[in-house]
């Protein structure tokens, strides 16, 4: 629930203030569910919790730029903002950013920076059989890229660990072809 954004200097073991997170059209602060990912070069991407807003932060210029918002699901038709359990993961091989919205949704997205476009994949976060306690991610979810795969912990008091095969070809506008698979913890 803040506009503040900080960097950390490893050499001096100290925090320093950076440009504030934009308030956006409704002047909202970054809330639970806000998540970031670094592209390994100059950009930190941020989905702002409690909104559909998406930003890119330039490290060199110390400034934020609004990007295409993460819209509503075309698969479910439901209006869901970014909530607790959302995560972002940067894929340096295909220069894509993968995301989930958290908030007990099963939506799985990727962002193409060259086109400033979000694409909802045909894959969704699996919901195992077993009742109410095995819902989609709400809190504790985490995702990361490694060797052509996106790995993520589902959270929500589970030990579920999943892998998305991001090294399959992606076709903007056509969804992902990767396939989400469970891994044994």
């Amino acid at each position: 629930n803040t506009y503040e954004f900080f960097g950390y200097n490893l050499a001096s073991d100290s925090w320093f203030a950076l440009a504030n997170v934009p308030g956006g059209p409704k002047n909202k602060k970054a809330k639970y569910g806000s998540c970031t990912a670094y592209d390994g070069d100059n950009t930190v991407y941020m989905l702002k919790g409690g909104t559909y807003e998406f930003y890119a932060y330039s490290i060199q210029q110390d400034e934020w730029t609004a990007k295409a918002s993460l819209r509503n699901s075309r698969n479910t038709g439901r209006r869901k903002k970014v909530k607790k359990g959302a995560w972002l993961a940067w894929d340096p091989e295909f220069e894509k950013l993968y995301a989930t919205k958290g908030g007990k949704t099963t939506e799985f997205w990727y962002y193409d920076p060259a086109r400033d476009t979000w694409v909802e994949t045909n894959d969704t976060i699996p919901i195992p059989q077993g009742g109410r306690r095995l819902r989609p991610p709400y809190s504790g979810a985490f995702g990361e890229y490694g060797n052509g795969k996106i790995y993520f912990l589902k959270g929500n008091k589970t030990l579920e660990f999943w892998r998305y095969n991001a090294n399959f070809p992606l076709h903007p506008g056509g969804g992902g072809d990767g396939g989400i698979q469970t891994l044994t913890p």
Side-chain angles (χ1 to χ4, degrees), residues 120-144:
E120 185 175 10
T121 70
N122 292 328
D123 291 308
T124 59
I125 297 170
I127 303 174
Q129 302 300 315
R132 185 180 159 112
R133 69 176 194 87
L134 298 174
R135 290 184 257 184
Y138 184 71
S139 61
F142 177 78
E144 189 60 57

Side-chain angles (χ1 to χ4, degrees), residues 63-131:
E63 70 181 21
W64 293 92
T65 305
K67 297 294 183 181
S69 296
L70 183 54
R71 64 187 188 277
N72 293 317
S73 172
R74 67 173 160 68
N75 294 333
T76 66
R78 296 174 65 193
R79 296 177 52 91
K80 288 289 194 173
K81 296 177 181 176
V82 176
K83 302 278 179 128
K84 291 190 290 186
W87 56 263
L88 291 171
W90 177 255
D91 173 351
E93 185 177 355
F94 291 101
E95 296 186 348
K96 304 274 189 254
L97 189 67
Y98 290 88
T100 62
K101 284 186 178 178
K104 301 179 185 176
T105 68
T106 60
E107 300 171 29
F108 187 54
W109 297 78
Y110 74 86
Y111 174 76
D112 182 350
R115 294 180 175 87
D116 190 25
T117 303
W118 284 101
V119 176
E120 185 175 10
T121 70
N122 292 328
D123 291 308
T124 59
I125 297 170
I127 303 174
Q129 302 300 315

Side-chain angles (χ1 to χ4, degrees), residues 133-168:
R133 69 176 194 87
L134 298 174
R135 290 184 257 184
Y138 184 71
S139 61
F142 177 78
E144 189 60 57
Y145 174 87
N147 297 322
K149 312 285 189 244
I150 301 294
Y151 296 92
F152 62 97
L153 295 170
K154 186 172 175 182
N156 206 33
K157 300 180 184 177
T158 72
L159 299 176
E160 292 180 46
F161 185 52
W162 295 87
R163 176 184 69 210
Y164 179 77
N165 296 315
N167 57 348
F168 291 128

